[in-house]
Amino acid sequence: MTGDPKPIGDMGNRGEYDPLLTPEQVAQRLSVSPDWVRDHSSRKEPRLPVIRLGGGPGRAGLLRYRASRIEKFIEEM
């Protein structure tokens, strides 16, 4: 094996690292509260692009956000 191991995460369509962010990290990037991020991940406009991991219907499970999608969200606003 040569080189450093790649970090765990999604690889974008150009082979670039596209990490998953927590609600707190997204809140910091957008300069809003984590509650705002959670609210705009499910029921309010503008709606944030979210990935739900585990859990079931409603607010159960972990929320994660692709960094590239958050940057696109910022550009579109």
Side-chain angles (χ1 to χ4, degrees):
M1 239 171 121
T2 61
D4 294 326
K6 299 245 185 235
I8 296 173
D10 180 52
M11 300 300 273
N13 53 1
R14 290 177 283 166
E16 298 171 359
Y17 180 57
D18 190 10
L20 295 178
L21 306 176
T22 65
E24 291 75 19
Q25 291 169 316
V26 173
Q28 183 176 9
R29 176 67 180 101
L30 298 177
S31 299
V32 298
S33 72
D35 286 338
W36 188 96
V37 170
R38 288 182 190 92
D39 284 346
H40 287 80
S41 297
S42 60
R43 59 187 170 92
K44 291 189 178 178
E45 293 292 328
R47 186 165 173 155
L48 288 169
V50 64
I51 299 169
R52 294 188 183 279
L53 302 173
R59 302 186 101 191
L62 297 174
L63 303 179
R64 294 295 181 263
Y65 307 81
R66 289 198 196 287
S68 63
R69 299 286 308 272
I70 295 302
E71 293 306 316
K72 184 176 178 184
F73 174 84
I74 292 168
E75 289 173 16
E76 291 174 354
M77 291 296 115

